[in-house]
Amino acid sequence: MPKRVNHEERRTQMAEALIRVAGRRGLHAVGMRDVAAEAGVSLRLVQYYFQTKEKLLFYGLQHLTDRFTARVGARLAAAGPDPGPRATIEALLLVSLPTDEESRTFHLLYSSYSILSVIDEALAAQPFIDNPDAAENALTGLLRQAQEAGLADPAVDAHMEAISLLAMTATMGTSILVGQRSADSAIAVLHHHLDRIFNAVGHPTSATQPGGTMLPPARGTSSDSGKPCP
């Protein structure tokens, strides 16, 4: 009997090849022939599954987003059965920082696609993100949840803080890519802003490094309160 072909596995194989090549050369420089060579398949097969480069890029971005979601889930699982709103926010934001090869590729390709989708009519015709406000709404909900539980400053505007945190994380991700700041420095900045929003009680200010070890509190702060040491 002829071997059954798992078409989703084939698409995933090609999406992974796209991500690897684009991570090395940049998304703008990748063609369907490059993806075929990286995946070890024929150009005709890539064209059969995706027809155009734009469809291949869009599928690759969706696959990259799925990998990002899985990494967030893994970080939350490691935090325990009930991580709480702050740990959940940290998981979402820290995973998006380019602190290792996987997250570096995610940030690089996601940023590249967003730019290409503005200047390329074929890409612009496709929805870049199904729900562009999903992350913003999720963070807003988590911050309001924390406020209701007495874990965050009730005076802050949860929606504005969510927008600010996302924008800050995206900008710091770029600054890491270009070598302006280190990953540890970006994580410290992120925790500084979270400490400002969340009540200090029960929330140590130690930051987690990409490898999972704990960073000491920022100089001049107390690990118990997050406030300046006397």
Side-chain angles (χ1 to χ4, degrees):
M1 291 182 64
K3 182 179 178 181
R4 290 179 64 91
V5 176
N6 187 318
H7 296 292
E8 194 57 34
E9 283 187 2
R10 280 283 178 86
R11 290 188 181 92
T12 299
Q13 175 190 4
M14 296 172 196
E16 292 282 353
L18 167 68
I19 291 168
R20 289 194 300 272
V21 176
R24 296 194 302 265
R25 299 175 51 188
L27 198 61
H28 65 285
V30 178
M32 298 180 83
R33 191 178 301 278
D34 302 307
V35 172
E38 180 73 19
V41 300
S42 68
L43 173 61
R44 184 181 297 273
L45 191 62
V46 177
Q47 293 170 330
Y48 170 78
Y49 279 105
F50 295 104
Q51 294 84 51
T52 66
K53 176 182 175 180
E54 291 74 28
K55 290 182 179 180
L56 173 61
L57 293 181
F58 185 64
Y59 186 88
L61 184 73
Q62 290 177 312
H63 182 66
L64 195 65
T65 301
D66 290 341
R67 283 177 23 174
F68 171 83
T69 302
R71 282 166 60 86
V72 173
R75 184 179 282 270
L76 286 175
D82 186 18
R86 173 163 178 161
T88 304
I89 290 173
E90 287 181 351
L92 287 166
L93 298 179
L94 289 175
V95 170
S96 66
L97 287 175
T99 56
D100 58 19
E101 191 60 33
E102 173 79 6
S103 54
R104 179 188 179 279
T105 299
F106 173 83
H107 190 93
L108 181 64
L109 269 59
Y110 209 80
S111 300
S112 299
Y113 190 97
S114 64
I115 294 171
L116 287 174
S117 68
V118 173
I119 61 177
D120 187 302
E121 291 184 1
L123 290 179
Q126 301 180 105
F128 172 46
I129 305 174
D130 289 338
N131 183 4
D133 297 328
E136 184 178 303
N137 293 338
L139 260 64
T140 300
L142 287 164
L143 289 170
R144 287 174 178 162
Q145 178 185 335
Q147 288 175 317
E148 292 169 0
L151 301 174
D153 184 351
V156 302
D157 184 320
H159 187 215
M160 293 296 289
E161 293 293 351
I163 295 171
S164 300
L165 286 169
L166 289 168
M168 178 182 63
T169 304
T171 302
M172 287 197 302
T174 301
S175 72
I176 294 172
L177 284 180
V178 300
Q180 180 185 1
R181 69 177 65 255
S182 68
D184 289 349
S185 170
I187 291 171
V189 172
L190 176 60
H191 278 85
H192 169 78
H193 285 277
L194 290 176
D195 290 340
R196 176 180 55 80
I197 297 169
F198 283 82
N199 292 345
V201 178
H203 295 281
T205 58
S206 298
T208 304
Q209 295 188 91
T213 58
M214 300 303 291
L215 291 169
R219 183 178 300 174
T221 65
S222 163
S223 61
D224 293 326
S225 67
K227 297 178 181 179
C229 294

